[in-house]
Amino acid sequence: MSQQCATRYPLVLVPGMLGFIRLVLYPYWYGIVSALRRRGAVVVAVKVSPLHSSEVRGEQLLVQIQDILRQTGAGKVNLIGHSQGALTARYAAARRPDLVASVTSVAGPNHGSELADYLRIHYPSDRAKGRLLKALLWLINALMNLLETGYRGPKLPVDIQASHESLTTTGVALFNEHYPQGLPDTWGGQGPEEVDGVRYYSWSGILQPGRTDRGRNLFDGTNRSCRLFARTFVREAGQCDGMVGRFSSHLGTVIGDDYPLDHFDIVNQSLGLVGRGAEPVRLFVEHAQRLKAAGV
């Protein structure tokens, strides 16, 4: 077996909103976990509350980190979070930097999501449209729980309103006041590479006409959803992946922010149906090599 991705500490993959480990045989991190393991990495995909605040999810993640450390004998972990999973990982690292070697944000809304802002304005929770959206999310989560085969822990709490507010620009601004580690000082800039002994990294993508709407994305319904969601963006119009803006994603060392990847492509969803020239699995493999070279 190759050891090119054999990092010093385990890689812990943290999913975003409505995240899971595996639905029947279908994994969240499609093709990514197997690619890393073939190259010598110790990889653990975890599950936290699919619909809840980043702080509650972060506390759940801390419990699982300690379990992973006991099981592996490692001293720390490398956290890689997709979407809200990035905020979840940031919380854990800020609270217990002694347990975390690095945090990597993959399409993380580190300054909030304009899509979440749009939904708060146009689908308020006290109106019929808002209640309908909340019911739809509850049903999706219930169905996914029935199909989940990768998680064997305790029942996870759900708070749809808290989940939504945690992703708005206002909600994330409040989060950032308490947990600023790794954030850039200027909009669109890079953050510090290391804070409290924890290394911070990020990468993200943007919708690119002629690339992200071509190739296998022609058969991927999630890409169509992202192109629709992108219409809600104002500040980062034309510079988003459908759910997260390019500069809003910045954290620590910015590896790249304009890959031809929508918000689902970036974790090789759905079923590896991605746009022309996109190689999301390669980004994870290269990052594991980067972490290994950094000694973590």
Side-chain angles (χ1 to χ4, degrees), residues 7 12 38 51 66 110 126 129 169 174 229 235 251:
T7 54
V12 177
R38 284 197 304 271
L51 293 165
Q66 292 175 75
N110 294 305
D126 60 346
K129 289 198 299 184
T169 53
L174 181 61
F229 295 153
R235 185 180 190 185
L251 184 77

Side-chain angles (χ1 to χ4, degrees), residues 13 27 29-41 43 281 285:
L13 307 184
W29 307 88
Y30 188 82
I32 293 168
V33 173
S34 57
L36 293 169
R37 286 177 176 166
R38 284 197 304 271
R39 293 166 175 83
V43 188
V281 176
V285 169

Side-chain angles (χ1 to χ4, degrees), residues 20-27 47 143-153:
F20 54 90
I21 296 176
R22 185 175 61 249
L23 299 182
V24 188
L25 298 176
Y26 181 65
K47 180 177 178 177
L143 177 60
M144 293 174 74
N145 280 337
L146 288 174
L147 298 175
E148 174 70 70
T149 59
Y151 177 72
R152 291 292 181 268

